[in-house]
Amino acid sequence: MKHQGSCHCGRIAFEVEGDINEAMDCNCSLCRRRGGLLWFAPREALVLKTPGENLSTYTFNHHHIQHRFCANCGIGVFGEAVHPKTGVPTVAVNVRCLPDVDLAALKVTRFDGASL
Ligand SMILES: [Zn+2]
């Protein structure tokens, strides 16, 4: 199934394909402030619908994950990184940016990112 996603102002829009039944709630220093819910997919499952230069990027800690956000409205839409175990380019989509996903129906798993 394809899901349409965007930041709040629309400068970043994307489409991601996959069955989204679960999400991860991480308590790391970034996630606890941003308040996203993450769903993971191969990077190739995501197609950007707006120019790549509309993505702003934040990195911290090991600077391994590219946290993409909109510099206009401030919404963090997804993060990109090479999966440390599989070597596969991976995207962590903030499912709160996918209006067609029923957030209340997701199985949410807590992840202790603060301890990494
Ligand atoms: Zn925006």
Side-chain angles (χ1 to χ4, degrees), residues 7-12 70-75:
C7 68
H8 191 254
C9 75
R11 280 195 192 175
I12 300 170
C70 175
N72 187 49
C73 68
I75 300 297

Side-chain angles (χ1 to χ4, degrees), residues 27-109:
N27 67 353
C28 83
S29 58
L30 177 63
C31 288
R32 65 180 294 143
R33 287 169 171 80
R34 182 186 52 194
L37 277 175
L38 301 176
W39 175 78
F40 293 82
R43 175 59 184 82
E44 63 187 18
L46 186 145
V47 177
L48 209 49
K49 301 284 191 177
T50 44
E53 60 259 31
N54 291 8
L55 295 171
S56 292
T57 301
Y58 178 66
T59 67
F60 72 108
N61 197 10
H62 299 297
H63 304 280
H64 175 66
I65 304 170
Q66 313 277 302
H67 298 278
R68 310 294 193 192
F69 68 99
C70 175
N72 187 49
C73 68
I75 300 297
V77 285
F78 54 82
E80 297 179 68
V82 174
H83 194 285
K85 290 182 182 142
T86 63
V88 176
T90 299
V91 65
V93 179
N94 181 2
V95 295
R96 293 189 188 276
C97 294
L98 308 174
D100 71 343
V101 171
D102 180 2
L103 297 175
L106 295 175
K107 178 178 182 286
V108 175
T109 304

Side-chain angles (χ1 to χ4, degrees), residues 8-30:
H8 191 254
C9 75
R11 280 195 192 175
I12 300 170
F14 60 94
E15 184 177 87
V16 66
E17 184 160 16
D19 295 321
I20 303 178
N21 302 310
E22 56 187 15
M24 194 180 82
D25 182 10
C26 175
N27 67 353
C28 83
S29 58
L30 177 63

